[in-house]
Amino acid sequence: MLGGCLCGAILYEAIGHTVFSVNCHCRDCQRTSGGAYTPALFVPETSITISGEVTYYASTAYSGRKVSRGFCPKCGSQLCAKLEILPDIIGIRAGTLDDSSLFNPGVDIFTSSAARWDLMNPDIPKFQREPG
């Protein structure tokens, strides 16, 4: 899978399998995406090569653990996320993929904070918070 930021300063290539994919409806993802949710696929961190310098912003998630969201310092595109709870996995924002058709959401999470105008796919599982 290939992808990158809007200005092209950061490019990535992920080789191998997707561990899982989600649409996250938590309030933090709504705020950082400016939309109803963040579509993301997670891959082993060892399977991704990133060229360019990603800047990370860390915040505390609902779980009390850190989430570090990576973005391009030039154009502001959010590209990835590292979750303290999943130390060897990196999340890739589906919209940054060169071929976004490779994203297939497996689950909706944090539906308890979903925007009321968000029309979720009824065919995928839903969790009020994170699965667990």
Side-chain angles (χ1 to χ4, degrees), residues 60-66 84:
T60 303
Y62 173 80
S63 66
R65 302 211 180 179
K66 296 289 181 202
E84 182 179 27

Side-chain angles (χ1 to χ4, degrees), residues 111-127:
T111 59
S112 61
S113 53
R116 62 180 172 80
W117 43 266
D118 180 12
L119 302 175
M120 289 182 261
N121 180 345
D123 297 330
I124 61 175
K126 313 276 182 269
F127 292 90

Side-chain angles (χ1 to χ4, degrees), residues 62-118:
Y62 173 80
S63 66
R65 302 211 180 179
K66 296 289 181 202
V67 174
S68 297
R69 291 175 177 85
F71 61 94
C72 174
K74 291 183 180 179
C75 68
S77 297
Q78 279 202 42
L79 298 157
C80 57
K82 296 179 182 183
L83 287 65
E84 182 179 27
I85 198 166
L86 300 169
D88 300 325
I89 295 175
I90 189 166
I92 300 170
R93 291 200 173 225
T96 68
L97 292 166
D98 287 352
D99 180 0
S100 62
S101 71
L102 296 173
F103 176 68
N104 184 24
V107 65
D108 283 302
I109 61 173
F110 288 94
T111 59
S112 61
S113 53
R116 62 180 172 80
W117 43 266
D118 180 12

